[in-house]
Amino acid sequence: MSKKFTPTPHDAIFKQFLSEKKTAKDFFEIWLPDEIKSLCDLDSLKVKSGSFVDTEMKNYQSDILYSVNTKQGQGYIYLLIEHQSTPDKLMAWRLMRYSMAAMQKHLEAGHKELPLIFPILFYCGEKSPYPYSTDWLDCFSGRDIAEKIYTKPFKLVDVTTLDDGEIMQRVD
């Protein structure tokens, strides 16, 4: 009998370890900020598929994705954990991408509102401390303008509120 080679055995152990509800609940009790923890009914933890396929049909996958009910009744919060043993300068973007993919999957399941996704990076690499920012806006070369673009309402050009004369005046 040959042994199956796992290129990242620590990743497999991590997934197995945190796939157990009691272990995951203990992990979140310790590591979730109080503000987020106060929203979560951790007894309702469920492991979800963290596999996503983008529009080019490329498969990408978060390590572990959980859903929890909110303490306020109906609603969902997802807790996403990514295990990483090597630093990645764009890790914050990757976690944002996984978060957006989980939101899309939630909408495709028939829900009408976006869920909250709380990403956590579980880092166990040799380089200490983790050398890169965990703020996805720091992944941009122009962080200041990125912050203005991606944390504010988008620009709306609503021509339905203009009469034809106003539209013609604006086109020169």
Side-chain angles (χ1 to χ4, degrees):
M1 182 170 149
S2 65
K3 286 187 178 181
K4 184 178 176 185
F5 174 71
T6 304
T8 54
H10 49 79
D11 212 31
I13 292 168
F14 174 82
K15 286 180 186 180
Q16 183 178 7
F17 181 66
L18 277 174
S19 292
E20 307 230 356
K21 186 175 179 175
K22 181 176 178 355
T23 304
K25 185 177 175 184
D26 289 345
F27 178 87
F28 291 128
E29 287 283 353
I30 294 166
W31 294 108
L32 283 178
D34 289 340
E35 180 180 31
I36 302 299
K37 197 171 13 179
S38 71
L39 299 173
C40 298
D41 172 10
L42 291 176
D43 289 328
S44 70
L45 266 176
K46 289 184 187 134
V47 176
K48 295 296 204 179
S49 169
S51 179
F52 310 105
V53 179
D54 66 13
T55 55
E56 289 89 38
M57 299 304 289
K58 293 179 189 164
N59 189 32
Y60 54 102
Q61 178 169 328
S62 67
D63 278 345
I64 302 180
L65 180 67
Y66 300 91
S67 69
V68 295
N69 295 332
T70 67
K71 288 184 178 177
Q72 287 76 26
Q74 255 190 338
Y76 294 92
I77 298 175
Y78 291 90
L79 307 170
L80 181 137
I81 303 175
E82 182 66 17
H83 176 258
Q84 192 73 12
S85 59
T86 56
D88 180 350
K89 189 172 184 179
L90 295 175
M91 180 53 71
W93 161 243
R94 200 161 97 198
L95 285 171
M96 182 58 70
R97 183 176 181 199
Y98 293 161
S99 296
M100 296 285 186
M103 289 178 200
Q104 181 63 35
K105 204 171 193 179
H106 183 81
L107 291 175
E108 289 169 357
H111 300 279
K112 302 298 180 201
E113 291 183 333
L114 291 174
L116 294 173
I117 311 287
F118 189 82
I120 298 173
L121 176 61
F122 186 94
Y123 174 69
C124 63
E126 290 181 24
K127 187 162 179 83
S128 179
Y130 187 77
Y132 300 116
S133 174
T134 56
D135 185 335
W136 85 285
L137 294 171
D138 287 334
C139 295
F140 292 92
S141 60
R143 188 215 153 79
D144 294 344
I145 194 69
E147 188 170 3
K148 289 177 183 166
I149 293 170
Y150 298 115
T151 64
K152 304 285 188 259
F154 61 85
K155 176 71 174 164
L156 173 63
V157 178
D158 185 354
V159 296
T160 66
T161 63
L162 304 174
D163 63 38
D164 291 345
E166 272 187 281
I167 293 172
M168 294 310 291
Q169 283 177 345
R170 294 175 190 250
V171 179
D172 288 326

